[in-house]
Amino acid sequence: MLGSGKGSNLDSIARAISSGDLLADVQLVVSDSPSAGILDVSRKWGLPSITIPASRFKTRLEPEIEEELACSLKAAGVEIVVLAGYMRMLKSPMLDAFPRAIVNIHPSLLPAFPGVDAWRQALLAGVAVTGCTVHWVDGGMDTGSVIAQREVAILDSDTPETLHARIQEAEHQLYPQVLNSLRALQ
Ligand code: GAR
């Protein structure tokens, strides 16, 4: 599992595994930020974790660092790479090492509102419904084919924070369900 954020999706996945709703194991948690909350969540569940060394680039890793990442995941026995709030693009070292085996969750109904702060983009656009999407990862930004989506209605009273919180509730239900059915979809 790869993330740069607070780790609430990891928490929901670990909870689904511990309750028996998700038949999977988290082999390794990886963050590109040593202070990311996802590493605290990882410790809370007793999961192994590593931090990717600092990169010169904001939106991607150096190829040699990405190669090392792929090796670490392979060595840990990872079959499916699960991204949640990992804010860099993956390139050929990872895409070649894990063909059709990397998934991401995005806080909008893709292809609407790719990129950062998708919930804020939805509010600014004035749409009535947004949501979240689980999709296969390709070399683009939030462009891989869609696996499943969940809608979230936008309320008149919504702020970016309240809307993102409701989208995250939907994410926490959708992601474990999709991961459970993934082998059949590969
Ligand atoms: C999630 O809302 C996820 O959809 C979003 O980052 C958040 C991570 O939350 N991802 C993106 O915006 C990717 N483009 P978490 O760290 O609590 O799981």
Side-chain angles (χ1 to χ4, degrees):
M1 178 121 191
L2 263 68
S4 320
K6 67 181 195 275
S8 68
N9 278 286
L10 171 61
D11 201 49
S12 71
I13 288 166
R15 204 172 319 111
I17 291 171
S18 115
S19 67
D21 290 334
L22 171 56
L23 300 177
D25 285 312
V26 180
Q27 306 287 2
L28 188 62
V29 174
V30 181
S31 182
D32 55 350
S33 160
S35 58
I38 191 170
L39 294 172
D40 297 325
V41 174
S42 170
R43 278 187 283 274
K44 174 181 118 180
W45 287 98
L47 299 168
S49 64
I50 57 171
T51 303
I52 302 172
S55 167
R56 290 197 309 279
F57 310 116
K58 230 182 145 185
T59 57
R60 65 185 170 93
L61 297 173
E62 284 84 346
E64 58 279 13
I65 294 183
E66 198 174 299
E67 191 76 55
E68 260 179 57
L69 169 64
C71 287
S72 302
L73 293 167
K74 287 279 177 195
V78 168
E79 292 171 12
I80 304 270
V81 180
V82 176
L83 310 187
Y86 178 72
M87 302 310 270
R88 293 175 203 260
M89 312 245 281
L90 292 177
K91 297 292 170 192
S92 53
M94 277 294 292
L95 297 173
D96 293 347
F98 292 95
R100 203 168 168 80
I102 309 178
V103 291
N104 180 43
I105 191 153
H106 182 78
S108 74
L109 298 175
L110 289 172
F113 313 125
V116 294
D117 292 354
W119 57 91
R120 200 180 295 272
Q121 295 184 48
L123 264 186
L124 286 173
V127 295
V129 177
T130 184
C132 54
T133 301
V134 179
H135 64 95
W136 295 110
V137 170
D138 62 14
M141 188 174 59
D142 305 320
T143 49
S145 61
V146 170
I147 301 170
Q149 295 185 307
R150 175 87 39 113
E151 290 187 354
V152 174
I154 298 184
L155 310 176
D156 288 343
S157 57
D158 264 329
T159 63
E161 291 72 28
T162 60
L163 179 56
H164 189 209
R166 275 204 323 291
I167 293 173
Q168 286 227 286
E169 282 172 27
E171 291 182 341
H172 300 159
Q173 292 173 7
L174 183 66
Y175 220 178
Q177 281 174 15
V178 170
L179 293 177
N180 228 358
S181 60
L182 218 51
R183 229 175 279 281
L185 298 172
Q186 261 183 312

